[in-house]
Amino acid sequence: MSRSGGRSLTLVIATAIVLAGCGPTAPDPTPYPTSGPATPIAAARTVVEAFAAAWATADYAAMYALLAPADRAAWDEPTFAAAYESLAEVIRLTDLHAAAGQPELGSLAPEARPLDLPPPAPASPAALPSDAAGSAAPTASAPPVDPATVLDGPVRAYVVPLAAQLTSARFGAIELNRDVALVEGPDGWQIRWTPGLIYPELAGGGALRVTRELGDRGRIIGSDGTIWAETRDDGTRVYPQEWLAGQAIGYVTDVTAEDLDRLDADGYLAGDVVGRSGLEYGAEALLRGTPGWTLTAEPTSGDPVTLASTEMVPGADITVTLRPGLQATAERGLAAHNNGATAVVDPQSGDVWVLASAPAFNPNAMTAGTTLDGTPLAAPTAAQIIDKAVLSAYPAGSSFKPFTLAAALKTGVATAATRVPCPGTWTFSGFTFHNYMDHSLPGNVSLPEAMAFSCNTTYMPLSVRVYDADPTALTDVVAEFGFGSFTGIHYLPEETGILPDAAYFEANERWDGRIVPYNEFDQIQLSIGQGSYTGTMLQLASAYAAIGNGGTLWRPRIVTEATLPDGTVAESIAPTETRHVSLTTAELAYVTESLEAVVNLPYGTAHAAFAGFGLQVAGKSGTAETGTPDPHALFPAFAPAVAPQIAAATVLVFMPLGTGGEHAAPIVRSIMARYFNGG
C-alpha cells in the first residue's frame, strides 16, 4: 500500500478577531498635569482578577463591563465576545486558570480625556515676593478654564501582569502572559482593551487560522502478512479478504453530523471516516492516528506567526492473530447453518485465531459497494454485521457441566471414586427434570461416564449437594472461569453475558416481577447452563482452554502490535494472564478425563463426530433450551487433551432437532483437523 504523506485541511476562523484596526487614533501629545490616583492601586489587581474569573466561565458580558468607556465605544459587546469565543472554538478550550500579579505604574499613549473625567481647575497663583525697592511685583493670572472643556494629554495607567494557562483539546497547554493596562474612571479602575490583549500579533487586526494535517489510516494485517484492511490511493477503504472474518475486521463509513458533535474534540471533520464495527471500531485511535494542528496569527499587515502547533502522528498498522485457514474452515462449517458463531483460541497464550459468525458479511459492501472484482454487493443486514462470537451471548446447555463437576470436586462433595445413578428423570421439590429423551444408564456410573452420556439427572442432584455444602461454590467457580464479565479482549467490543448469582438476583426481578434470592432451583439450572445464564463463544473457548492448560485463564489477544509507517512500534501487547483458577492439578485432570469420555466412550455424545480423528480431544456437547421448539447446539473442546494446542467453541442457533454432538461437534472437528494439518 502506498502512503500519500497525509491529508492537510485548513480552517479559517474569521469572526470577531478579523478587525480593521484597534480603535481611534491617538491625538498629538499635549502636556497636562495629572494628580495621583484616587482609587487604591491594589484595586487594579482585583479588577483584573474579576476579568480573568469571568473569562474562565465564558461570562463575556461581565468581562465587557470592566472595560473603559473609550474601548466600549470602539468595540461593541458582540464583537468583544466573539473575539474570545472564536479563540475558544479554534483551540477547543476546555479549561482556563489565570493569576494576576502586582500593579506597576505605566502609561498609555496620549489621547483625549474622557468626558466623564474633566481636568481639574488650576489653583490661583501665589503672590510673588517684593523686589529690593519694595515696589509691588506684577501679579500673574492664569487664563480661565471651562470645566466642561475636554483637553488632550498623557494618560496615567497601571499595568497588571496576567498569566493565563489555557487547556486546549487541540494544542494541549497554552500559556498566555499579558500585561493588562488599567486607567482610573469615576467609579474605579477600568481595563483598556484591544484584540492585542488576546494575541499581540492581531493588535492591528487580522485573523486566527487553524490548519489540520491527518495521516493515512493504518492497515489491519495478519502475523503471516495477510492484508485484512487497507486504504487505496483513491481514499477508499477496502478489505482484500472479502467475506473472511468480516465481522471481526469491521468497516468504516464517513462521519455524520451526529458523529461530529461527539467526535469534534478528537479532531474529526466532515469527509473523514470512522470505524463502525469490529477492529475498525475498537482500534480506531491506533488506525487513525492523531491529527496535527497549527494555530497561526495572520495580521492584516505582516507575515503570519505560528502561535501553537502539535505533531501529526500517522495511523498505525495493527498486526492481528487471526489465522486465515482456520477462519475459512470455521466459516464454511457455519455457512451450512447460516446462524451461529465460533471462537478459536491458543490455550498457551490466549491468542485469538478465529472469530466467525453466520450469516457472513463482506465489509466492502459498506465502503466500495462491490467486491474487489466489481461484483455488486447488497446492503448487509444487522444480523450479518454483528460479531456473534463476542457480541452475542447464549445459554450453554450441558457444555456447562464441567464447571459443575469442578465445583463438586472443589467442595469435596465428589471425588474420582464417586459413583452416581443416571436415571431417565429426577424429581426435586415436586418438579421433575428429564434427560434427553429420558435416556438412562444402568446402575451407578462414574462422573466421567455420566458426563459422556450428558446425564442431567446426575449433574443436577450433584449441584444441589454443592449448594448444601456452599451456596456460592458453583457461581464462584463459574466466575473464576470468566463468565459474567468481560474477557478483556483488546480492541474489540464484547458482551459480558449473564452470571445469575446471588448478586444478580438481588438486582433483577423474576418473570413475575418479584425479587427472589438465589436458591437451589437457580443452582440446578446453572449446573446445565440454563436458567438466566448466557455467555459468548469467546468466553466458552477461553474457559475450556483454562481447563486444559492447567488453570490459566488468558486475556484473549487479537492485536499483537501497532507499527507506525517509519517502523516505530507504537504499541506492543504481550500475552496476559487474567487469573489462575483455584482448582488443583488433580481436579482439573479429572474434569479433563470426563471431557475425554464424551469423545471416547461409545455412548459419548461426540463419539461419532470424532471417530478416527487420531488425537485425543476433550469436549462437551450442549443442547440448550431456548423457549422455542428449536434449541441451540453447542460444542466447546480442546486438543490434545494433555498439553492442548487449540481450543474452540461453536454454537448453532435455533437448530431444528439439533444437538451439540451431532451438529456443532463436526464443525469443531474440521477446525482442529485443519490446525493439525498445518492450517
Side-chain angles (χ1 to χ4, degrees):
M1 168 187 171
S2 65
R3 290 185 179 270
S4 62
R7 298 164 51 208
S8 178
L9 186 145
T10 299
L11 300 176
V12 179
I13 304 301
T15 57
I17 292 221
V18 181
L19 302 162
C22 57
T25 302
D28 294 333
T30 303
Y32 193 89
T34 57
S35 60
T39 306
I41 296 173
R45 179 178 181 179
T46 302
V47 171
V48 174
E49 288 173 339
F51 187 85
W55 187 9
T57 59
D59 188 351
Y60 303 128
M63 296 170 69
Y64 187 75
L66 298 174
L67 303 191
D71 298 322
R72 291 200 299 270
W75 318 102
D76 60 26
E77 185 174 342
T79 299
F80 170 84
Y84 286 93
E85 289 170 347
S86 64
L87 172 65
E89 178 186 353
V90 166
I91 69 172
R92 295 298 187 261
L93 181 66
T94 59
D95 197 13
L96 185 151
H97 295 280
Q102 294 299 325
E104 297 180 358
L105 182 62
S107 65
L108 299 177
E111 58 185 45
R113 280 184 169 275
L115 293 173
D116 59 355
L117 189 64
S124 299
L128 297 175
S130 300
D131 58 17
S135 62
T139 60
S141 61
V145 177
D146 183 353
T149 300
V150 179
L151 303 178
D152 296 337
V155 178
R156 182 193 299 271
Y158 278 84
V159 175
V160 176
L162 179 65
Q165 289 80 42
L166 286 65
T167 303
S168 161
R170 284 182 174 166
F171 298 98
I174 297 177
E175 293 189 5
L176 299 181
N177 295 303
R178 302 290 184 258
D179 288 333
V180 183
L182 298 96
V183 296
E184 189 179 19
D187 299 320
W189 295 107
Q190 299 171 323
I191 291 175
R192 299 308 310 270
W193 187 90
T194 73
L197 191 59
I198 302 176
Y199 277 112
E201 294 83 359
L202 300 179
L208 288 177
R209 184 184 300 271
V210 63
T211 304
R212 188 196 73 169
E213 182 183 12
L214 182 65
D216 290 326
R217 190 176 184 88
R219 300 174 297 172
I220 302 175
I221 58 178
S223 56
D224 62 349
T226 299
I227 298 177
W228 294 95
E230 63 181 348
T231 303
R232 292 191 310 215
D233 289 342
D234 65 0
T236 304
R237 190 73 165 173
V238 294
Y239 304 90
Q241 304 311 311
E242 302 279 8
W243 304 89
L244 196 63
Q247 295 92 348
I249 300 302
Y251 68 97
V252 301
T253 64
D254 289 348
V255 295
T256 64
E258 292 76 13
D259 292 328
L260 293 178
D261 289 339
R262 174 174 55 89
L263 298 173
D264 177 74
D266 295 321
Y268 286 79
L269 301 174
D272 289 351
V273 299
V274 63
R276 298 296 184 186
S277 70
L279 288 166
E280 290 277 33
Y281 169 81
E284 170 73 9
L286 286 175
L287 293 166
R288 180 174 186 263
T290 303
W293 297 94
T294 301
L295 178 65
T296 306
E298 298 188 349
T300 302
S301 60
D303 296 328
V305 178
T306 298
L307 303 173
S309 64
T310 60
E311 184 178 355
M312 183 271 289
V313 178
D317 291 343
I318 63 171
T319 302
V320 298
T321 58
L322 295 175
R323 298 180 62 157
L326 296 182
Q327 182 76 31
T329 301
E331 292 187 11
R332 280 195 298 270
L334 293 176
H337 304 281
N338 203 40
N339 194 349
T342 294
V344 180
V345 300
D346 179 355
Q348 304 306 322
S349 68
D351 282 359
V352 177
W353 291 339
V354 171
L355 291 175
S357 296
F361 165 61
N362 189 331
N364 290 306
M366 309 301 287
T367 56
T370 68
T371 63
L372 297 189
D373 65 4
T375 303
L377 290 167
T381 64
Q384 286 178 274
I385 293 172
I386 191 169
D387 187 351
K388 296 181 176 69
V390 292
L391 286 172
S392 294
Y394 308 93
S398 292
S399 64
F400 228 56
K401 286 173 181 170
F403 308 108
T404 304
L405 175 56
L409 296 171
K410 186 175 179 181
T411 56
V413 303
T415 69
T418 299
R419 294 294 182 271
V420 289
C422 175
T425 62
W426 172 69
T427 301
F428 178 80
S429 191
F431 192 88
T432 299
F433 298 92
H434 299 261
N435 280 340
Y436 178 70
M437 306 214 33
D438 288 349
H439 290 167
S440 64
L441 289 173
N444 288 333
V445 298
S446 68
L447 290 171
E449 289 171 326
M451 185 76 72
F453 199 65
S454 199
C455 294
N456 293 338
T457 57
T458 297
Y459 280 90
M460 286 178 167
L462 185 63
S463 73
V464 175
R465 293 171 61 189
V466 171
Y467 184 91
D468 291 341
D470 181 350
T472 69
L474 177 57
T475 54
D476 288 347
V477 165
V478 170
E480 276 195 75
F481 277 95
F483 297 102
S485 61
F486 293 114
T487 68
I489 186 171
H490 302 85
Y491 300 115
L492 273 183
E494 61 173 328
E495 173 62 59
T496 63
I498 296 173
L499 171 54
D501 57 5
Y504 174 82
F505 285 113
E506 287 174 0
N508 291 275
E509 297 177 348
R510 304 285 181 152
W511 62 272
D512 58 1
R514 295 182 303 143
I515 294 291
V516 178
Y518 183 84
N519 55 49
E520 293 96 329
F521 277 97
D522 300 313
Q523 180 103 339
I524 289 168
Q525 292 294 320
L526 183 60
S527 72
I528 59 168
Q530 296 282 179
S532 298
Y533 164 80
T534 59
T536 69
M537 290 306 99
L538 182 59
Q539 288 175 327
L540 199 56
S542 297
Y544 266 64
I547 294 173
N549 68 22
T552 299
L553 183 70
W554 292 102
R555 180 179 183 180
R557 181 177 72 155
I558 193 169
V559 176
T560 60
E561 67 179 17
T563 308
L564 298 178
D566 64 2
T568 301
V569 176
E571 184 166 353
S572 181
I573 301 171
T576 305
E577 181 179 327
T578 299
R579 73 178 63 87
H580 196 279
V581 298
S582 60
L583 275 78
T584 67
T585 300
E587 289 164 350
L588 289 168
Y590 191 62
V591 174
T592 298
E593 181 183 333
S594 74
L595 297 176
E596 290 180 81
V598 174
V599 173
N600 288 343
L601 294 180
Y603 52 80
T605 55
H607 180 70
F610 284 89
F613 186 69
L615 286 173
Q616 182 57 59
V617 175
K620 180 67 187 81
S621 59
T623 304
E625 296 178 3
T626 62
T628 76
D630 301 327
H632 299 333
L634 299 96
F635 194 81
F638 54 88
V642 177
Q645 300 175 34
I646 184 172
T650 288
V651 61
L652 302 174
V653 180
F654 298 119
M655 282 291 298
L657 302 177
T659 66
E662 183 179 359
H663 297 95
I667 295 175
V668 172
R669 173 180 174 145
S670 67
I671 295 167
M672 290 182 169
R674 178 65 182 263
Y675 172 79
F676 288 111
N677 285 322

